[in-house]
Amino acid sequence: MKKIVLACAAGMSTSMLVSKMKKAALDEGIDVSVEAIPVAEVEDKLNENGIDVLLLGPQVRYMDEQMTDLLKPKNIPHSIISMQDYGMMNGKKVLKEALELIK
């Protein structure tokens, strides 16, 4: 099972996108864990049980460099969710992008 974590300002605004991603995974028979957390908890999540990919919400794109510094030593890929996909809550596309990053 692949672990996908979405990080945003408070972990609340991405919860609807997480639901859409879970539904897309279920529809396609993909075994993944998807959760949303506040960006301030990313380091704790890494130490807790690890993740396979981190996606930043567009509202915290300013944290990209800090996340690179944190994730690169652990070889964990990350990306910023596009404003368009985030706004449209395109769970299927965001899931696909996350899985491509893991490969």
Side-chain angles (χ1 to χ4, degrees), residues 11-92:
M12 300 296 287
S13 59
T14 53
S15 61
M16 190 180 341
L17 183 56
V18 165
S19 295
K20 302 266 184 172
M21 291 173 71
K22 286 180 177 179
K23 181 178 182 334
L26 185 64
D27 290 348
E28 296 184 29
I30 300 169
D31 189 23
V32 295
S33 164
V34 186
E35 70 176 301
I37 62 171
V39 73
E41 294 179 13
V42 170
E43 193 165 0
D44 291 339
K45 179 58 75 175
L46 288 173
N47 295 331
E48 184 181 300
N49 61 0
I51 60 174
D52 292 302
V53 64
L54 175 75
L55 300 176
L56 291 174
Q59 70 275 38
V60 291
R61 69 181 325 113
Y62 67 90
M63 301 282 296
D64 185 44
E65 190 174 322
Q66 184 178 344
M67 291 300 113
T68 298
D69 293 344
L70 184 64
L71 300 169
K72 192 172 186 175
K74 297 178 185 256
N75 293 319
I76 298 171
H78 82 285
S79 184
I80 300 167
I81 302 168
S82 81
M83 186 75 82
Q84 183 177 2
D85 291 337
Y86 192 86
M88 299 291 290
M89 292 288 144
N90 190 339
K92 185 175 183 175

